[in-house]
Amino acid sequence: MDFKKMILEDREKERSNKFEGTLLDYLEIIKEDKEASKLSHKRIYDLIMEKDLEILRPEENVRVRKLFGNEIIKKYNFFKEDFFGIEKVLMKIMNYFYSAAMKGEEARQVLYLVGPVGAGKSSLVEALKKLLEQCPPIYVIKDCPMREEPLHLIPKHLRADFEDLLGIQIEGDLCPVCKYRLQHEFNGEYEKFPVIRQGFSIRSRKGIGVVPPVDPNNQDTSILTGSIDISKMDLYSEDDPRIFSLNGAFNVGNRGIVEFIEVFKNDVEYLHTIITATQEKSIPSPGKGAMIYFDGVIIAHSNEAEWSKFKSDHTNEAILDRIVKVEVPYCLELNEEIKIYKKILNKSNFKAHIAPHTIEAAAMFAILTRLSPSSKVDSITKLKIYNGEEIVEKGTTKRIDITELREEAGLREGMNGISTRFIIKAIDTALSSSEQHCINPLSIMESIIKAVKELDIAEEEKKRYLNFVQDNVRKEYNKILEKEITKAFIHSFREQAESLFNNYIDNAEAYVNKTKLKDRSTGEELYPDERFMKSIEEQIGVFESSAKGFRTDVTSYMFYLVRNGGKLNYESYEPLKEAIEKKLMASVKEISRIITKSKVRDKEQDKKYNAMVEEMKSKGYCDYCCDVILKYAANNLWRD
Ligand SMILES: Nc1ncnc2c1ncn2[C@@H]1O[C@H](COP(=O)(O)OP(=O)(O)OP(=O)(O)O)[C@@H](O)[C@H]1O
Ligand SMILES: [Mg+2]
């Protein structure tokens, strides 16, 4: 790594971004680059779109088809690395920015994110603020406390001419400080007013203003719109702008973002600035001064309880009318939820080993608590459907319409349940209490159970949550584990599965077409092997009467696949895949029982056992968790 090169390159970049000139110079720049003077909403919209997006169509993307039906999903690269399973939320946010960038009504509305704790509201705003910090610097009037757009210097009577010449619209008026300076320092010669380029910064409050919830007894509006500097009151008169300290969130957030954290914890009076800032695009100056033009994206967020309270008070209508509300529910898709935890864990300094399926088990629990109960399917099935998985029942993939489930669940789904933070804390606890520096699904479940017991929620709810871990998640994990160990045990699981598959397809095809099959080695003509086919079908509950239909389905599906250029393998048709895996698992049950009894193992069995351990280690287990998990399996699996 070449530090010096890095530093020099950065300095060069900074130098090339530097600009010190006058309004006159700035006008020349605008002539070449109209975009230089764009408003805040458009700036953010463009910055996100610059990183491009992927358009996912249901006819091309299986996941989209399964989860969203006929909808087209837009996946924005800007959010892709950090946000998971909330595509539709992001699309709504982007709709807001698009309309606002087009100067639609949204440009005069607050973007308000509401959702349960730990659903990612703050992180979303954080991402937008960071985006501004990384964008190229903008042109501002030098030393203006509002860092305002230099075009404000152009007097009203010349605006139309300038707009024609430049091909842009000029919006907004000079702030009182600059107005004063123009008269007293520059003698009204606005073209000489200095202009510089300056970036955004969260820390030094440049273009990014944050309003934390304030003490209701002390709702001093100076946090929002600045104050009067009392020390200067002796020097200047009361209406002299030189006594202003324009350092409120709306002042510093001009041209960028003003964020309201837990917005409705504040008094309504306090929020009135929001009304003028959105509707009139201006904010009051401290004292009795004139209004000041403001252009910024106002983003507020809070949880639902506060929203409901605020909404129920009809005196708040004026503000309610100026809000674009976007609900940010929890992620309900298992695979995406796992990504959230992996992202957070990657940022932490814990260096322990994490056994396979550990995060999965935790994520499963979180999602189960968030799903509304359904009358159509059980919770685990619903979780799988929401995860885009195929559900196999009685030999066919069960067609359950996800949109029906969503409708049944109503709009509240995802707005309740266990938070991301709860799970992360449970994982952290398991990590820090593991002496072997290794956590596994069992230790994570234990950690979750402990944490649930300590939760301050209704007894009924607690019972439901505990049941999810102790029953649903555990059973599901047992199934996963049984399959995994079997696969590790049958060294050539894949080959055996493929060979069963080919054999089955040959037989089923002959059966359906009422032909004979040719034995590949002897050339003998044989009748389809009824017993063999049955031994597979019975694994998934296909018996006598339904067997014919199943064989027809399989055969025509395979025919369809081949015709469409698909590849045939044992995983091609979900019900058959499940049947074959079960058949293989059943065939090793006997052996599995032996392997778990270490004392009575003979030499041959020992060899097999060791090979299995090696196989599991190659799949991500360490010595320690492999041992723990196998002991658990010995005591709990293959027991039906
Ligand atoms: N869908 C998601 N995708 C990626 N990360 C997420 C998602 N949901 C939550 N997180 C992560 O969970 C953590 C908590 O989120 P965050 O603090 O943004 O929540 P919040 O909605 O602001 O909660 P609160 O209401 O408690 O302030 C963060 O690390 C965040 O990145
Ligand atoms: Mg937050």
Side-chain angles (χ1 to χ4, degrees):
M1 206 188 291
D2 190 343
F3 295 118
K4 187 153 183 208
K5 194 168 151 230
M6 224 164 86
I7 294 167
L8 291 179
E9 272 174 10
D10 180 63
R11 190 162 301 147
E12 183 47 40
K13 197 173 136 206
E14 213 155 83
R15 198 171 300 145
S16 68
N17 273 338
K18 241 199 174 111
F19 171 86
E20 280 236 46
T22 60
L23 174 68
L24 207 56
D25 303 321
Y26 177 59
L27 287 169
E28 291 300 325
I29 289 168
I30 293 280
K31 220 165 73 185
E32 299 299 315
D33 176 17
K34 298 184 204 337
E35 298 275 287
S37 71
K38 61 187 158 196
L39 299 180
S40 56
H41 287 93
K42 179 144 170 53
R43 171 163 295 107
I44 291 182
Y45 178 74
D46 287 352
L47 284 168
I48 295 175
M49 293 307 280
E50 221 171 70
K51 302 211 185 324
D52 221 347
L53 77 165
E54 230 181 310
I55 297 192
L56 306 175
R57 293 172 202 286
E59 59 273 23
E60 293 156 7
N61 187 300
V62 187
R63 175 179 163 259
V64 169
R65 187 166 62 238
K66 280 186 179 154
L67 297 183
F68 304 101
N70 290 325
E71 272 179 88
I72 290 174
I73 295 298
K74 292 182 186 163
K75 207 164 174 119
Y76 299 90
N77 291 339
F78 169 66
F79 295 109
K80 205 167 76 178
E81 306 284 306
D82 277 320
F83 296 95
F84 308 103
I86 52 167
E87 280 102 337
K88 292 189 87 174
V89 174
L90 299 175
M91 280 165 70
K92 282 184 200 155
I93 293 176
M94 286 307 286
N95 277 344
Y96 164 84
F97 276 111
Y98 174 72
S99 308
M102 295 291 131
K103 298 199 177 165
E105 182 57 26
E106 280 81 351
R108 291 166 181 269
Q109 303 245 318
V110 177
L111 175 63
Y112 168 60
L113 308 177
V114 59
V117 291
K121 303 180 293 294
S122 299
S123 308
L124 280 167
V125 185
E126 221 49 49
L128 295 176
K129 294 195 292 191
K130 288 223 182 81
L131 177 69
L132 276 185
E133 275 195 317
Q134 282 153 16
C135 87
I138 56 171
Y139 294 89
V140 305
I141 293 183
K142 194 178 177 195
D143 295 328
C144 169
M146 301 284 295
R147 297 184 351 122
E148 71 185 310
E149 166 61 54
L151 293 175
H152 291 177
L153 286 159
I154 296 175
K156 275 275 146 73
H157 67 277
L158 283 179
R159 287 264 171 115
D161 294 342
F162 272 90
E163 285 184 346
D164 274 352
L165 282 170
L166 295 170
I168 55 167
Q169 284 178 335
I170 303 174
E171 192 183 295
D173 299 311
L174 216 47
C175 83
V177 175
C178 292
K179 204 183 251 167
Y180 183 89
R181 289 183 63 204
L182 177 60
Q183 276 158 21
H184 295 84
E185 267 179 57
F186 295 93
N187 216 358
E189 291 174 82
Y190 55 87
E191 76 282 8
K192 291 187 183 156
F193 217 111
V195 170
I196 55 164
R197 263 188 109 178
Q198 210 176 50
F200 292 83
S201 160
I202 301 175
R203 237 185 36 207
S204 49
R205 305 183 78 219
K206 289 200 177 83
I208 297 165
V210 181
V211 188
V214 290
D215 177 359
N217 299 316
N218 177 28
Q219 303 226 329
D220 184 351
T221 50
S222 64
I223 293 181
L224 299 177
T225 50
S227 56
I228 285 181
D229 188 342
I230 302 177
S231 69
K232 289 185 183 153
M233 281 187 75
D234 298 341
L235 300 171
Y236 311 116
S237 73
E238 203 186 329
D239 54 357
D240 190 319
R242 281 174 295 179
I243 63 169
F244 293 167
S245 291
L246 295 182
N247 57 6
F250 277 101
N251 307 120
V252 301
N254 188 37
R255 307 191 68 188
I257 290 176
V258 178
E259 176 193 16
F260 279 81
I261 300 171
E262 306 285 354
V263 60
F264 298 126
K265 281 217 167 86
N266 298 304
D267 246 21
V268 198
E269 305 301 315
Y270 190 71
L271 299 176
H272 275 159
T273 319
I274 291 183
I275 301 185
T276 59
T278 49
Q279 213 52 29
E280 286 147 36
K281 291 199 84 169
S282 59
I283 53 169
S285 47
K288 293 183 187 66
M291 298 295 279
I292 306 175
Y293 172 82
F294 167 81
D295 161 50
V297 178
I298 307 174
I299 309 182
H301 47 104
S302 82
N303 59 41
E304 270 203 311
E306 276 152 18
W307 165 251
S308 310
K309 205 169 103 214
F310 185 81
K311 197 179 55 174
S312 63
D313 185 346
H314 72 272
T315 54
N316 294 333
E317 267 168 13
I319 291 187
L320 287 171
D321 200 36
R322 288 166 175 85
I323 282 176
V324 173
K325 174 174 154 243
V326 174
E327 287 190 349
V328 185
Y330 289 130
C331 166
L332 296 177
E333 190 180 341
L334 180 64
N335 290 343
E336 297 295 299
E337 184 75 7
I338 293 171
K339 288 184 197 161
I340 299 178
Y341 302 137
K342 288 199 169 151
K343 171 192 83 171
I344 299 176
L345 283 172
N346 271 339
K347 287 185 188 157
S348 79
N349 287 332
F350 285 115
K351 285 283 167 282
H353 177 249
I354 298 179
H357 311 297
T358 305
I359 307 296
E360 188 180 339
M364 220 184 268
F365 166 69
I367 292 179
L368 285 172
T369 66
R370 298 169 184 171
L371 295 175
S372 315
S374 166
S375 62
K376 300 182 204 302
V377 289
D378 62 88
S379 331
I380 282 281
T381 307
K382 186 166 178 180
L383 176 141
K384 287 183 181 170
I385 295 172
Y386 275 36
N387 195 33
E389 293 173 34
E390 301 266 15
I391 306 301
V392 176
E393 213 179 81
K394 297 216 176 64
T396 49
T397 41
K398 201 169 166 190
R399 289 270 152 252
I400 303 161
D401 194 352
I402 190 165
T403 39
E404 270 175 37
L405 288 179
R406 289 228 167 91
E407 262 163 39
E408 181 195 25
L411 297 172
R412 304 273 322 133
E413 190 166 53
M415 298 297 272
N416 293 308
I418 283 292
S419 87
T420 341
R421 251 180 244 127
F422 175 96
I423 298 295
I424 284 295
K425 271 193 276 180
I427 296 175
D428 287 351
T429 313
L431 281 169
S432 47
S433 58
S434 158
E435 280 165 27
Q436 287 77 14
H437 300 291
C438 167
I439 60 168
N440 57 57
L442 306 171
S443 61
I444 202 68
M445 282 190 257
E446 209 170 291
S447 173
I448 289 175
I449 290 170
K450 244 194 223 147
V452 169
K453 284 185 177 157
E454 284 164 15
L455 269 181
D456 189 16
I457 53 172
E459 255 340 282
E460 197 66 9
E461 193 79 334
K462 203 175 273 190
K463 253 198 221 146
R464 208 168 67 93
Y465 285 4
L466 286 175
N467 194 51
F468 282 140
V469 205
Q470 289 162 333
D471 189 52
N472 306 70
V473 176
R474 186 171 297 270
K475 275 189 188 146
E476 199 52 34
Y477 173 61
N478 286 355
K479 275 192 219 162
I480 295 170
L481 189 58
E482 193 171 327
K483 203 183 269 183
E484 187 161 83
I485 294 178
T486 310
K487 281 187 182 173
F489 186 78
I490 312 179
H491 194 57
S492 51
F493 187 90
R494 177 102 211 173
E495 281 111 276
Q496 293 197 35
E498 292 300 351
S499 125
L500 279 180
F501 171 77
N502 287 327
N503 205 351
Y504 183 85
I505 295 291
D506 287 347
N507 277 285
E509 199 177 1
Y511 171 87
V512 171
N513 297 331
K514 301 201 169 59
T515 54
K516 286 186 181 170
L517 18 30
K518 215 173 204 168
D519 188 296
R520 288 204 174 116
S521 40
T522 63
E524 263 178 298
E525 296 250 321
L526 302 166
Y527 282 104
D529 185 344
E530 193 62 36
R531 250 182 54 202
F532 166 71
M533 286 189 284
K534 271 189 184 151
S535 75
I536 300 241
E537 291 154 359
E538 68 188 17
Q539 303 294 335
I540 48 168
V542 170
F543 294 106
E544 306 294 333
S545 53
S546 49
K548 188 174 175 203
F550 183 74
R551 289 169 199 172
T552 316
D553 286 352
V554 171
T555 316
S556 45
Y557 186 78
M558 294 304 151
F559 187 61
Y560 159 84
L561 257 191
V562 172
R563 215 178 36 205
N564 285 289
K567 264 218 177 91
L568 288 194
N569 62 43
Y570 95 93
E571 285 167 326
S572 303
Y573 186 56
E574 191 67 30
L576 188 55
K577 168 181 168 236
E578 193 160 318
I580 288 172
E581 284 183 345
K582 280 196 170 150
K583 162 97 180 154
L584 276 173
M585 275 156 66
S587 73
V588 290
K589 263 187 191 170
E590 227 17 71
I591 315 170
S592 306
R593 239 171 248 141
I594 301 169
I595 58 159
T596 53
K597 293 204 170 57
S598 56
K599 292 193 191 75
V600 296
R601 248 184 253 143
D602 62 27
K603 228 174 167 182
E604 184 60 23
Q605 287 164 344
D606 247 353
K607 219 169 107 193
K608 279 188 175 174
Y609 180 86
N610 292 338
M612 175 186 68
V613 169
E614 281 316 307
E615 183 65 21
M616 284 181 71
K617 279 176 20 193
S618 78
K619 290 280 182 308
Y621 288 90
C622 72
D623 282 317
Y624 173 71
C625 60
C626 193
D627 192 49
V628 173
I629 293 300
L630 283 174
K631 278 191 183 124
Y632 169 79
N635 295 332
N636 295 280
L637 304 184
W638 299 290
R639 300 210 138 200
D640 40 28

